[in-house]
Amino acid sequence: MSRITTIAFDADDTLWHNENLFEEHHRKYCKLLAAYHDEETVERTLFRTEMRNLELYGYGVKSFTLSSIETAIELTKGSISAEELRNILDFGKNMLAHPVELLEGVEETIAALSQDYPLMLITKGDLRDQERKITKSGLAPYFKHIEVVSEKKREDYARLFRQHGLNPTKLLMVGNSLKSDILPILEQGGLGVHIPYHLTWEHERVATAPNENDNFHELASIKHLPALVAALTS
Amino acid sequence: MSRITTIAFDADDTLWHNENLFEEHHRKYCKLLAAYHDEETVERTLFRTEMRNLELYGYGVKSFTLSSIETAIELTKGSISAEELRNILDFGKNMLAHPVELLEGVEETIAALSQDYPLMLITKGDLRDQERKITKSGLAPYFKHIEVVSEKKREDYARLFRQHGLNPTKLLMVGNSLKSDILPILEQGGLGVHIPYHLTWEHERVATAPNENDNFHELASIKHLPALVAALTS
């Protein structure tokens, strides 16, 4: 039963490394504020600022940089110097300018699957930054559709599928976030392949995997995806 | 000769006020830095920072806020206080949270034209912010296609028109920026209707209007657009 007509992919931490850059920023940021507060307080306050600003700022490095500056001013009661804040601006710029590092096996897998299926890229975040990463990745030619969205909730996917005339029950989505890439697809009757990344942002964490759902699959590496697709369609 | 099959609109300063919010930020920003530099120096340095960061940051309020903070640190040689920098963060948040104020005549004009033509919205900037403004405007239901893009150069339009199967020579685009809304459309054989806003960001200014081009039209207000469209298609 060949029910799969489109394979969709998340990008950050599914095709290329991303969360490791944020982790690096966190380390440098905690070091910068170490004279004022312990790491746990810094992390907790930064996350609270990010969540408070999420509706207004959305996702991405620029939002993260602005929230980092706001948190640093708050945590130091305004006594942090402008030069120290400039370091935070530079952390953000370095993240934006960083080379794109593909995860192992990505290029071969995407190239192979693109011969048999139309591929779709669905990524959330800052428009300019995501477009730049897609270009730098060299993977753009393999994708029939590339969509940058501001959220990845069920209704955001439903809108995309309507626009492209796609039946969600015939779509397989691959991603590292159960919350953003897998659960909203399963809810619409699609297939979800979860490939965990070794780091997960607190905001993306969910309590339990939907292991009882027959449409849910988990892989240790994208390298095993072609075999899974073959098994699902044979 | 009814050659118009789609009418496309820019959003910021074409459908709703936008540049006036930036002007207000500029005034408050120059006031904040008045103890250090005259207004002309502040404006010139901020613009230079924005242009230097444009490739990395893209357009929009978050980019503008980050460049404003960077410029303030630079212009004060690091002596600006964290509390003063927090004011700049707040200016930016106020811009993002500001209500959308439609220009005069927009709602009636859009409603009327949507009865006879498929309408398209093509706006450049920050994805989250533009989506929020479109929602707040109440105009979304009138548009068949809504596209947020990171640039509005000729190739960006060409890509959109390909995606939507639109013939650019049958498209009429309405906007306040000659550089971003009109010239790239005229270059592809489309019709351009320029409706100037009373403020233009330096980056969007061009030396001369393409007055010799028969596909170029200029209106003082969007209210006159239905009459122009009627004349062009009769």
Side-chain angles (χ1 to χ4, degrees):
Chain A
M1 57 143 218
S2 180
R3 65 176 270 201
I4 301 173
T5 55
T6 299
I7 303 180
F9 291 85
D10 168 55
D12 289 340
D13 300 322
T14 297
L15 301 182
W16 51 72
H17 292 279
N18 177 62
E19 192 58 27
N20 63 333
L21 294 180
F22 282 88
E23 285 281 315
E24 196 187 325
H25 173 106
H26 277 263
R27 271 198 307 278
K28 293 193 282 187
Y29 186 71
C30 286
K31 203 171 156 191
L32 186 73
L33 295 174
Y36 300 94
H37 289 283
D38 61 276
E39 197 172 312
E40 196 274 326
T41 306
V42 172
E43 289 286 6
R44 183 167 32 82
T45 313
L46 176 58
F47 184 70
R48 210 171 50 203
T49 310
E50 285 187 87
M51 291 303 102
R52 192 172 61 228
N53 290 337
L54 188 57
E55 182 55 37
L56 206 56
Y57 286 163
Y59 299 93
V61 172
K62 287 183 293 186
S63 306
F64 180 56
T65 307
L66 288 166
S67 288
S68 299
I69 292 173
E70 180 179 333
T71 304
I73 297 174
E74 181 186 331
L75 279 175
T76 63
K77 297 194 166 63
S79 69
I80 191 164
S81 74
E83 284 302 335
E84 286 172 303
L85 292 175
R86 173 144 50 185
N87 286 328
I88 300 175
L89 283 176
D90 289 341
F91 295 164
K93 284 191 180 180
N94 289 339
M95 288 173 80
L96 291 172
H98 201 277
V100 167
E101 293 164 352
L102 295 185
L103 273 75
E104 200 196 334
V106 161
E107 178 132 38
E108 311 84 277
T109 304
I110 296 292
L113 289 171
S114 73
Q115 309 226 322
D116 298 321
Y117 295 92
L119 305 186
M120 189 170 184
L121 189 70
I122 309 176
T123 178
K124 150 181 108 179
D126 180 75
L127 188 57
R128 169 79 58 145
D129 189 32
Q130 293 294 335
E131 287 180 353
R132 175 174 33 230
K133 288 194 280 190
I134 293 161
T135 303
K136 281 184 184 172
S137 77
L139 299 174
Y142 296 118
F143 290 93
K144 185 177 177 194
H145 304 296
I146 294 178
E147 294 285 350
V148 182
V149 293
S150 66
E151 269 295 354
K152 276 184 160 181
K153 296 191 175 151
R154 182 184 169 143
E155 61 268 26
D156 304 294
Y157 284 108
R159 181 176 34 79
L160 279 187
F161 298 156
R162 265 199 314 276
Q163 275 171 18
H164 292 289
L166 294 172
N167 178 348
T169 68
K170 297 189 167 186
L171 181 129
L172 181 146
M173 173 89 188
V174 182
N176 72 299
S177 169
L178 287 172
K179 182 177 171 182
S180 296
D181 304 323
I182 306 300
L183 297 180
I185 300 295
L186 295 178
E187 286 170 15
Q188 293 171 82
L191 294 105
V193 178
H194 182 222
I195 307 179
Y197 188 70
H198 68 281
L199 302 167
T200 304
W201 183 32
E202 190 175 345
H203 178 64
E204 295 292 339
R205 287 180 202 151
V206 292
T208 47
N211 290 315
E212 71 295 345
N213 189 321
D214 288 343
N215 289 333
F216 175 70
H217 303 273
E218 196 155 53
L219 293 178
S221 162
I222 200 167
K223 288 185 283 183
H224 308 132
L225 186 59
L228 174 64
V229 170
L232 288 170
T233 53
S234 66
Chain B
M1 58 143 216
S2 180
R3 66 177 267 202
I4 301 172
T5 56
T6 298
I7 303 180
F9 291 85
D10 167 58
D12 289 341
D13 301 322
T14 297
L15 301 181
W16 52 71
H17 293 280
N18 178 62
E19 193 58 27
N20 63 333
L21 294 180
F22 282 88
E23 285 282 313
E24 196 186 323
H25 173 105
H26 277 264
R27 270 198 308 278
K28 292 192 281 186
Y29 186 71
C30 286
K31 204 172 154 190
L32 187 74
L33 296 174
Y36 302 92
H37 289 283
D38 62 275
E39 197 173 312
E40 197 273 327
T41 306
V42 173
E43 290 286 6
R44 183 167 33 82
T45 314
L46 175 57
F47 184 70
R48 209 171 50 205
T49 310
E50 285 187 88
M51 291 305 101
R52 191 173 62 228
N53 290 337
L54 188 57
E55 183 56 35
L56 206 57
Y57 284 164
Y59 299 92
V61 172
K62 287 182 295 188
S63 307
F64 180 55
T65 307
L66 288 166
S67 287
S68 299
I69 292 173
E70 179 179 335
T71 305
I73 297 173
E74 179 186 334
L75 280 175
T76 64
K77 297 193 165 63
S79 69
I80 192 164
S81 74
E83 285 301 334
E84 287 173 302
L85 292 175
R86 172 143 53 183
N87 286 327
I88 299 174
L89 282 177
D90 289 341
F91 297 164
K93 285 192 180 180
N94 289 339
M95 289 174 80
L96 291 171
H98 201 276
V100 167
E101 293 164 351
L102 296 185
L103 273 75
E104 201 197 333
V106 162
E107 178 132 39
E108 311 84 279
T109 304
I110 297 292
L113 289 170
S114 74
Q115 308 225 322
D116 297 320
Y117 295 92
L119 304 186
M120 189 168 184
L121 189 70
I122 309 176
T123 179
K124 152 182 106 180
D126 181 75
L127 188 56
R128 168 78 60 146
D129 190 31
Q130 292 296 335
E131 287 181 352
R132 177 174 32 231
K133 289 194 279 189
I134 292 162
T135 302
K136 281 185 184 172
S137 77
L139 298 174
Y142 296 119
F143 289 93
K144 186 177 177 195
H145 304 297
I146 295 178
E147 294 285 351
V148 182
V149 292
S150 65
E151 268 296 355
K152 276 184 160 182
K153 295 189 175 153
R154 181 184 169 142
E155 60 268 27
D156 305 294
Y157 284 107
R159 181 176 34 81
L160 279 187
F161 298 155
R162 264 199 315 276
Q163 275 173 16
H164 292 289
L166 294 171
N167 178 347
T169 67
K170 298 191 167 185
L171 181 129
L172 181 146
M173 172 91 188
V174 182
N176 73 299
S177 169
L178 286 172
K179 181 177 172 181
S180 296
D181 305 322
I182 306 300
L183 296 180
I185 300 295
L186 295 179
E187 285 170 16
Q188 292 172 82
L191 294 105
V193 178
H194 182 223
I195 308 179
Y197 187 70
H198 68 281
L199 303 166
T200 304
W201 182 32
E202 191 175 342
H203 178 64
E204 294 291 341
R205 287 180 204 150
V206 291
T208 47
N211 291 314
E212 71 297 345
N213 189 320
D214 289 342
N215 288 334
F216 175 69
H217 303 273
E218 195 155 54
L219 293 177
S221 162
I222 200 169
K223 288 185 283 184
H224 308 133
L225 186 60
L228 175 65
V229 170
L232 288 170
T233 53
S234 67

